Amino acid sequence: MDSTPSAPVSSVPLLDIGRGNQPLMDEIQAAIREVCESGRFLHGPDIKQLEATVAEVCQTDHAVSCGSGSDALLLSLMALDIQPGDEVIVPSFTFFATASAVWRLGGQVVFADIEPETYNVCPEKIAAAITDKTRAIIPVHLFGQCASMEAILEIAREKNIAIIEDAAQAIGASRGGKPAGSMGDIGCFSFYPTKNLGGFGDGGMLTTNNSELAERLRLVAGHGMNPRYYHSVVGINGRLDSIQAAVLNVKIRQLSKWSEQRQANAARYGSLMQTTGIDQWLTLPADLSNSVHVWNQFTVRVPGGRRDDLKNYLGEANIGSEIYYPVPLHRQECFASLGYEEGSLPETERAAAEVLSLPIFPELKIAEQQAVVDQIAKYQRALGSAAA
Ligand SMILES: *Cc1c(COP(=O)(O)O)cnc(C)c1O
């Protein structure tokens, strides 16, 4: 991979989408041109092909394309007929869309705390939050590693509660041999450009093994219209563009290679951090033995209130890093009326204060990873001598 003697690393981006797309550009442009010449900008063979391939990756009977990961979540809740006042349990330590989909339908957002090791929603906390009004649970496979689905499914089945997997960050991940998006009632995927499979704009996908649900998802994603101009339910325009599907059909062939490269990078961070001893200071991400982690993010915990300072220090050395997520959803202004006080979800709040995500994209070079680790080690040494 990195065989030519490399120039000294002067900067490391958090993510360089171009490095993944560049070698595929001729193929991608040909695929886009074909859509343009066919004039089939919606529906058509590219959409069908992408749905079939994602269903294969996820080992589900059905895959239904849609406009974004956010729409996938909204469409799932609409297909399950979530009504105003229905309660839906979600983590607070996630991207906004997980909770906003519930809110937009008038559902009651109920936040559950996370497991500190994986940052994924905690099954015991879910169980404690269930009431007679709970209609659905949305576990998020955060950073590319699946949530504790066995326990969550058991809780849900007992009470006939639907499970929507937010697998936006986890295409290709699995747990106990079961792919993300195949374990719950519906799986939601995003093709936002920074995700492991990113389009040239927005895109999303829904997966399910339930044919009735698949049909209903298609219906609500097309204005609830079938046949043309006859509307049995109120849906939305939630379609995926054929151009996005054409791009993704080219890119999805690389997905397993890209996942392997992310896994190799994660393993390399582990050994480099061990060599420099910073694994004794930072908490490295958990990589569960029963799971295949696809590393959408490599997220460490920085102790002692030093997270923001380390992020700035890396920034000064032109090393990209990001905080996913600095303000948990239960502390967002728009959700203030839900009444979650500071301290109500302690593990979520601690994570928001401590986490830092480092570059992990597939084409990251060894020298770049070394530079990231060296810079963190340098920061830690400076800390140590300041304290001495
Ligand atoms: C990206 C993301 C979404 C939303 O996907 P979009 O395609 O950007 O709408 C939802 N949930 C999680 C966890 C995400 O990371």
Side-chain angles (χ1 to χ4, degrees):
M1 189 166 48
D2 196 23
S3 53
T4 47
S6 40
V9 172
S10 57
S11 69
V12 185
L14 178 66
L15 175 63
D16 184 349
I17 292 169
R19 286 192 215 175
N21 289 334
Q22 193 49 44
L24 306 172
M25 274 320 284
D26 286 348
E27 227 183 316
I28 290 173
Q29 280 175 347
I32 293 174
R33 194 177 322 117
E34 215 168 289
V35 174
C36 295
E37 283 165 5
S38 78
R40 302 179 73 164
F41 296 112
L42 294 162
H43 310 293
D46 297 281
I47 295 284
K48 284 211 166 62
Q49 187 189 328
L50 183 67
E51 290 180 341
T53 314
V54 173
E56 204 178 297
V57 168
C58 297
Q59 293 170 31
T60 56
D61 293 341
H62 310 276
V64 176
S65 58
C66 63
S68 67
S70 304
D71 273 2
L73 289 158
L74 184 65
L75 289 163
S76 299
L77 294 165
M78 290 174 81
L80 292 168
D81 201 26
I82 296 300
Q83 294 292 321
D86 287 347
E87 292 179 5
V88 179
I89 301 173
V90 302
S92 166
F93 196 60
T94 175
F95 179 63
F96 181 65
T98 314
S100 66
V102 178
W103 178 280
R104 278 178 60 178
L105 294 176
Q108 184 72 23
V109 178
V110 177
F111 290 116
D113 210 352
I114 53 168
E115 303 172 318
E117 299 79 23
T118 61
Y119 308 106
N120 279 324
V121 65
C122 173
E124 287 83 46
K125 294 287 157 42
I126 290 175
I130 287 176
T131 73
D132 292 347
K133 291 187 188 157
T134 308
R135 291 279 326 277
I137 302 166
I138 313 182
V140 179
H141 305 320
L142 202 68
F143 303 145
Q145 183 162 250
C146 292
S148 298
M149 291 303 290
E150 302 84 0
I152 294 170
L153 286 166
E154 202 179 305
I155 295 164
R157 283 211 188 98
E158 226 168 77
K159 316 222 160 157
N160 207 18
I161 296 167
I163 299 282
I164 301 166
E165 296 176 66
D166 183 342
Q169 301 182 6
I171 190 164
S174 65
R175 181 169 170 118
K178 293 182 182 149
S182 74
M183 294 176 270
D185 296 285
I186 305 174
C188 298
F189 293 89
S190 165
F191 304 125
Y192 183 75
T194 67
K195 303 294 158 93
N196 284 22
L197 179 63
F200 283 14
D202 282 312
M205 191 69 77
L206 294 141
T207 52
T208 183
N209 285 314
N210 179 325
S211 351
E212 249 172 71
L213 264 182
E215 221 168 283
R216 197 157 163 89
L217 288 166
R218 268 191 210 288
L219 186 68
V220 282
H223 282 303
M225 180 167 78
N226 188 30
R228 210 169 178 75
Y229 306 124
Y230 288 78
H231 304 262
S232 51
V233 294
V234 179
I236 63 170
N237 173 1
R239 291 177 298 248
L240 179 68
D241 291 338
S242 301
I243 285 181
Q244 293 304 332
V247 171
L248 292 162
N249 282 327
V250 173
K251 293 190 71 176
I252 201 168
R253 285 180 224 131
Q254 311 295 322
L255 181 63
S256 50
K257 182 190 81 183
W258 285 333
S259 297
E260 283 163 23
Q261 288 173 318
R262 287 175 181 273
Q263 287 153 2
N265 291 346
R268 192 173 299 115
Y269 268 136
S271 58
L272 290 174
M273 288 182 180
Q274 206 173 357
T275 307
T276 50
I278 52 178
D279 65 325
Q280 301 297 306
W281 177 51
L282 301 176
T283 305
L284 270 46
D287 186 0
L288 303 177
S289 58
N290 63 346
S291 295
V292 175
H293 195 325
V294 293
W295 300 99
N296 182 243
Q297 301 296 339
F298 187 90
T299 303
V300 298
R301 264 185 208 271
V302 187
R306 292 278 166 190
R307 191 268 313 275
D308 293 346
D309 198 35
L310 174 61
K311 184 177 188 298
N312 289 338
Y313 187 84
L314 292 174
E316 276 163 25
N318 297 313
I319 290 170
S321 64
E322 195 49 87
I323 299 162
Y324 303 110
Y325 297 89
V327 182
L329 299 187
H330 73 284
R331 299 296 296 151
Q332 294 287 346
E333 191 182 339
C334 65
F335 293 141
S337 65
L338 295 174
Y340 285 85
E341 304 287 333
E342 197 174 342
S344 56
L345 300 174
E347 288 301 345
T348 294
E349 290 167 31
R350 187 164 72 88
E354 293 184 346
V355 291
L356 189 64
S357 296
L358 303 173
I360 183 80
F361 62 96
E363 302 80 13
L364 187 66
K365 299 188 183 91
I366 295 172
E368 291 175 318
Q369 278 196 283
Q370 183 75 58
V372 173
V373 172
D374 287 348
Q375 201 63 27
I376 297 172
K378 205 168 144 192
Y379 176 83
Q380 195 203 357
R381 278 198 302 277
L383 256 192
S385 50

